[in-house]
Amino acid sequence: MNWDILNSRSYTPYSGKQRSCLIQGKSGKFYAGVRIENVSYPLTISAVQAACSICVSEGDTPSALLLPDTDFDQLEYWKNEFGLEIRVISDISTIEPEDLSKIKSTSEGSDLQDLLSKAVAPNSDFPVSALLYTETGMYEGVNIEFTEWASGLCAERVALAKSIANGDTELTDLAVHTKFGEVSSPCGACRQVILEHLPLNKIRLYHSDNSMSEHFTVDLLPFSFTSGSLRK
Ligand code: THU
């Protein structure tokens, strides 16, 4: 891998400021994270937040953070959260981050149920699972919580962070499941993020009573916030 390729996978239409990083897990595996901006700027996922969340969602524990430079947000927080060793490194040509794409699911409802066990939600005890489909594959997402609540990511956004960091941006549809909710229903922040990446697509929601409902993303966020003047 090299930083130019990884940086180019960032989704930064508002700032143009591409950012990417690699987390090495205790397993030795490397997980890529890229910055994913949103038209509502505070919903932006930072590269380090993405990489840490992805690593934890794979059952691994972040141990080192590899960066092209130190121009990253909240480095101290992430360093302390996991006791990360921070390595500023220009040559990552010997490193290949994990390709986390999966073969498309054929039994979506039961796969989503099984996936709940991978959620890391010590604060809420409320596991959520998501499957995000692209033209070529599928990405699993579970919710990940950290000491700082606001730094965690919902299942939907972990799946999105994996696909974007993998350079797999032809997103087609999304399925979401929660066991304890009366209904499975993405939060408002996820609806905003989902709408930006899957504007004409559908979401399938698998509810706790084993029923499923399918919705256009636009129907889940009517009269949404948008502005052409924000897009560069
Ligand atoms: N959560 C999701 O994963 N997706 C949603 O759409 C709703 C909320 C997670 C985030 C947090 O880990 C827990 O549920 C409680 O908010």
Side-chain angles (χ1 to χ4, degrees):
M1 183 50 71
N2 71 62
W3 289 120
D4 286 344
I5 292 176
L6 213 50
N7 279 334
S8 72
R9 295 181 182 173
S10 318
Y11 175 77
T12 56
Y14 306 106
S15 73
K17 190 179 162 193
Q18 300 182 337
R19 292 279 74 187
S20 65
C21 69
L22 291 163
I23 282 282
Q24 184 170 30
K26 286 193 173 154
S27 68
K29 292 178 181 170
F30 290 92
Y31 305 91
V34 302
R35 178 176 170 90
I36 304 174
E37 296 181 349
N38 188 269
V39 67
S40 176
Y41 288 6
L43 297 183
T44 294
I45 302 167
S46 80
V48 181
Q49 179 188 22
C52 286
S53 302
I54 290 169
C55 173
V56 174
S57 79
E58 290 296 307
D60 208 345
T61 305
S63 75
L65 172 60
L66 282 62
L67 304 169
D69 54 59
T70 51
D71 183 16
F72 285 80
D73 304 329
Q74 295 176 315
L75 274 188
E76 272 309 299
Y77 168 74
W78 291 110
K79 187 179 169 198
N80 294 333
E81 180 76 1
F82 294 106
L84 292 176
E85 174 202 340
I86 297 192
R87 279 189 243 150
V88 178
I89 170 175
S90 55
D91 181 6
I92 52 169
S93 58
T94 58
I95 295 173
E96 218 30 73
E98 293 294 299
D99 175 351
L100 299 171
S101 63
K102 307 270 176 194
I103 308 287
K104 291 187 184 187
S105 169
T106 51
S107 52
E108 193 170 66
S110 61
D111 287 355
L112 281 164
Q113 278 180 29
D114 294 347
L115 192 55
L116 287 178
S117 64
K118 285 188 163 182
V120 179
N123 304 320
S124 68
D125 223 359
F126 187 87
V128 184
S129 56
L131 294 174
L132 174 65
Y133 298 86
T134 69
E135 289 292 352
T136 53
M138 183 187 82
Y139 294 85
E140 295 175 343
V142 288
N143 53 327
I144 302 299
E145 297 175 355
F146 300 111
T147 309
E148 173 59 54
W149 286 24
S151 299
L153 278 184
C154 293
E156 298 89 325
R157 285 181 271 170
V158 169
L160 179 74
K162 285 182 184 174
S163 72
I164 305 283
N166 216 28
D168 200 353
T169 55
E170 297 297 317
L171 310 182
T172 59
D173 49 331
L174 174 70
V176 182
H177 175 55
T178 53
K179 193 166 63 177
F180 299 123
E182 290 72 28
V183 290
S184 292
S185 179
C187 71
C190 281
R191 291 175 193 218
Q192 181 77 54
V193 174
I194 290 164
L195 191 63
E196 185 147 344
H197 293 271
L198 293 148
L200 304 170
N201 312 72
K202 283 184 169 173
I203 307 185
R204 287 178 296 285
L205 303 177
Y206 286 79
H207 308 292
S208 49
D209 65 357
N210 290 327
S211 66
M212 187 272 277
S213 59
E214 194 169 31
H215 311 263
F216 280 108
T217 56
V218 69
D219 292 333
L220 292 182
L221 197 64
F223 200 53
S224 67
F225 173 67
T226 178
S227 176
S229 72
L230 290 170
R231 198 171 280 268
K232 290 209 168 176

